[in-house]
Amino acid sequence: MSISAPVTGTPADTEAAPDAVISLRGLSVDFPVGGLFSRTVVRALRSVDLDLERGEILALVGESGSGKSTIARCIARLERPTAGQIVVDGVDVLRSEPRRASREFRSKVQMIFQDPFGSLNPAHRVGQFLERAAKLHGRATDPGQLRELVENLMATVDLPVDMLDSRAFELSGGQRQRVSIARALAMDPEVILADEPTSMLDVSVRIGVLNLMRRLRDERGISMLFITHDLASARYVADRTTVMFAGELVESGVSTALMARPAHPYTQLLLSAVPDPLRAGSYDPVERARLRAAVLDSPTCPYDGDPDQVCSRTEPVRHDVGPAADRHWVRCHLYRPAADVASRALAVDTVDG
Amino acid sequence: MSTLPTSPDDAPVLEVTDLSVEYHGEYRTVRAVDRVSFQIGRGEIFGLAGESGCGKSTAANAIMRLLRPPAVITGGSIRFRGRDILTLDAEELRALRWREVAMVFQSAMNSLNPVMTVGDQIVDIFTTHERLPKSKARARAAELLELVRIDPARLRSYPHQLSGGMRQRVVIAMAVALRPHLLIMDEPTTALDVVVQQEIMAQIAELQRELGFSVLFITHDMSLMIELSHRMAVMYAGRFVETADASTMFADPLHPYTRALINAFPPLSGPVTPLVGLGEGVRFTDIPDLREERPGHWVAPVPVGTVIDGGRP
């Protein structure tokens, strides 16, 4: 697993990374707001370059509204990007399948949603979800084969086979989410996009679902984009973590390295806010105000003056940081996000900062 | 954080003994709170952790006497500063609520009246409960906003003009407006992003130090609770399974359910080690009474051979 850092000191390369299963290049999404004749748009994503490598779990973290779900929805072709490329297995799918995704694409890329209560019809049997998916995508032809496939899926997600006859409403949240994962696996996908898969589950079963994701990566080599607002679970399950803020990527690297040495003020802000009994009472309003100001308009960049790493106020330049073995990239501190989007996302709401 | 020193003559603010609450349905009765006992000392922050449906909100509502049929308090006693809350009549309850025991509900920021300014809503508290004249009430309202670090100019704002975090601050300020002895908070920051959540929690801790009230803090987020609380209890299916100092609970959880809850919040430093949660379908039944394993650390004994982990790490 390597860090897909683009050429130092320049905007991200426009070529897709060779070992990536999914590469996003310049992905932008505008949502129209206001009335029918309004031309106002909200820029949900701004020129996102992201690579999901084969067999890795990549976490996308950020606060609500930062655009992380929009990325997943674009890849799943549920949202139409305003600009940019989505390259899957070397093919720009927005060009090869411009209107809607093919069935082949859908079996390659599967999505798991946050709410397992909304994503499974409560009146259907667990078996039906899995059988339908397997049949639609031609994974099984005769009933015996189908039965075997479905039973294997249940074993993979640690659910008892006799639960195939249960109806969705009889299951707990954790069991439902496991059924959603089994349904996604029925297509034998290369990529799973998991949008906050544990945030609606009971706390005590969350770690079990994260463990399952890790096992699917290890045993089946499935690549995963894990979208979460929880840095602790990102660190626990994901090989790499990418931090999003106001529709843009600000920092990315190996999860443990990134969280040990966060370089961008926004990453530092997020990390300092995670409740952690080991550093209880460490909240520092002065430091918080400084970080907030730095996110919105940093007066300096630690890489300014380095001849190998050019800084820019206008281009989202990526700098390489950290020791040689643990390189990760961070967006130039001097680059200013669009002011309106950024201040909304930061929710600056106290008098003294 | 360590436990506040409570001298023997310092009577607890809240004393709940063997509290049971049942929901009487048409076909069956569910015991949502089952023989639960705890005390909260003066100035103490007591955390009550548990998952949805474990009965923690029902317990809080019982203390406020907010339960309505089909929920019925079927046993036990609740004493607040020596008075038996379960025997109070409607008039006495009205005097007790807000003035002596205040509550911040889950998603309380949506409980503000959308068509009244924040100022008018706060002024209402003082004119109704303290019979202050309007001008004095306005001054008190401004002080109150300053207490939670909001510009008093915001008194003229409507709730929709404030951010979620700000609205939550306003609600917390309103809850402590009449200087209650006990503040009950039911998941006060669940709907907020972490950055805002931490600021609100810091605010609550600061208010608590300044005003000295006791807190019953309810959440499913163990790391948040351990950070804020002095002492805490873990609730499962209506029963307490463990109570201890928050720091002890974090360092040395004894009940497997407590461990599963703590594991749901992996550490942010150190090596990444496999953690286990509760396996799907694992249930604890007939939870026995708590036993004092170590001084101040009570835990419900777990039958030998109980398997908690259905999921492989």
Side-chain angles (χ1 to χ4, degrees), chain B:
Chain B
M1 266 182 261
S2 62
T3 324
L4 290 184
T6 40
S7 52
D9 56 306
D10 206 0
V13 170
L14 182 75
E15 227 178 329
V16 175
T17 315
D18 279 333
L19 179 70
S20 291
V21 181
E22 289 178 357
Y23 286 85
H24 292 285
E26 208 170 317
Y27 302 107
R28 63 188 190 121
T29 293
V30 176
R31 190 172 264 214
V33 178
D34 191 3
R35 292 161 289 152
V36 158
S37 304
F38 62 96
Q39 299 183 347
I40 303 180
R42 193 188 300 170
E44 183 179 40
I45 302 179
F46 184 80
L48 186 50
E51 296 175 303
S52 43
C54 77
K56 54 196 197 304
S57 297
T58 302
N61 286 331
I63 294 164
M64 289 292 274
R65 285 274 307 274
L66 288 171
L67 295 175
R68 297 194 183 287
V72 183
I73 297 174
T74 52
S77 71
I78 302 171
R79 299 185 77 81
F80 177 74
R81 303 181 77 218
R83 282 149 77 206
D84 186 353
I85 286 192
L86 298 183
T87 60
L88 299 183
D89 63 27
E91 194 48 48
E92 290 167 321
L93 271 179
R94 193 164 25 233
L96 175 94
R97 289 179 189 150
W98 211 332
R99 183 175 293 279
E100 300 205 49
V101 187
M103 188 158 173
V104 175
F105 294 92
Q106 203 166 350
S107 64
M109 56 191 186
N110 301 325
S111 65
L112 292 169
N113 187 338
V115 295
M116 270 173 89
T117 64
V118 168
D120 285 345
Q121 296 183 55
I122 302 179
V123 162
D124 259 6
I125 306 171
F126 296 116
T127 51
T128 319
H129 289 263
E130 305 219 309
R131 309 207 181 288
L132 288 184
K134 260 264 162 77
S135 58
K136 268 212 163 123
R138 284 224 155 256
R140 286 282 295 277
E143 279 170 30
L144 201 58
L145 282 196
E146 276 176 344
L147 194 65
V148 289
R149 304 248 162 85
I150 295 178
D151 186 348
R154 289 293 195 169
L155 285 173
R156 284 191 297 277
S157 302
Y158 286 90
H160 75 267
Q161 295 170 313
L162 307 180
S163 70
M166 243 175 180
R167 268 180 279 160
Q168 193 69 330
R169 274 169 213 269
V170 169
V171 170
I172 289 165
M174 287 169 75
V176 300
L178 301 175
R179 303 288 148 97
H181 296 283
L182 175 66
L183 178 64
I184 300 176
M185 294 191 294
D186 190 355
E187 306 265 10
T189 57
T190 310
L192 302 170
D193 275 324
V194 278
V195 176
V196 181
Q197 165 176 286
Q198 190 193 35
E199 285 161 7
I200 300 264
M201 294 320 289
Q203 181 92 73
I204 290 169
E206 192 187 315
L207 277 178
Q208 192 274 335
R209 276 194 300 272
E210 218 164 287
L211 305 178
F213 50 81
S214 312
V215 177
L216 174 59
F217 176 43
I218 296 172
T219 182
H220 65 271
D221 187 331
M222 289 294 269
S223 36
L224 191 63
M225 169 161 292
I226 291 164
E227 235 190 67
L228 185 80
S229 310
H230 303 128
R231 217 153 46 84
M232 58 180 286
V234 175
M235 196 167 180
Y236 178 87
R239 295 284 281 163
F240 274 12
V241 297
E242 190 163 357
T243 70
D245 276 4
S247 49
T248 312
M249 190 83 97
F250 174 66
D252 187 20
L254 295 177
H255 198 278
Y257 181 68
T258 311
R259 278 201 290 273
L261 284 188
I262 291 177
N263 278 355
F265 302 91
L268 276 168
S269 49
V272 179
T273 48
L275 301 169
V276 291
L278 213 55
E280 291 297 338
V282 172
R283 297 281 174 272
F284 299 101
T285 49
D286 300 323
I287 295 163
D289 286 334
L290 297 177
R291 231 178 27 207
E292 191 164 20
E293 284 294 323
R294 271 160 235 167
H297 195 160
W298 297 69
V299 63
V302 182
V304 182
T306 306
V307 180
I308 67 140
D309 173 41
R312 296 164 271 171

Side-chain angles (χ1 to χ4, degrees), chain A residues 53 126 198 203 243 246 277 302:
Chain A
E53 279 163 40
V126 170
T198 58
V203 175
V243 181

Side-chain angles (χ1 to χ4, degrees), chain A residues 191-262:
Chain A
V191 179
I192 288 182
L193 311 169
D195 189 359
E196 301 267 13
T198 58
S199 64
M200 283 188 67
L201 305 185
D202 266 337
V203 175
S204 60
V205 302
R206 280 183 198 174
I207 208 82
V209 171
L210 295 182
N211 286 338
L212 171 60
M213 288 170 57
R214 221 154 56 163
R215 218 175 65 229
L216 293 176
R217 189 266 322 263
D218 292 344
E219 291 174 6
R220 297 187 165 218
I222 297 177
S223 319
M224 282 190 226
L225 187 65
F226 172 42
I227 290 169
T228 182
H229 64 273
D230 179 16
L231 284 109
S233 50
R235 184 178 187 273
Y236 178 70
V237 77
D239 306 302
R240 286 192 304 141
T241 295
T242 297
V243 181
M244 272 197 93
F245 170 68
E248 299 180 44
L249 310 185
V250 297
E251 189 165 0
S252 182
V254 172
S255 305
T256 45
L258 179 130
M259 292 190 210
R261 285 174 296 276

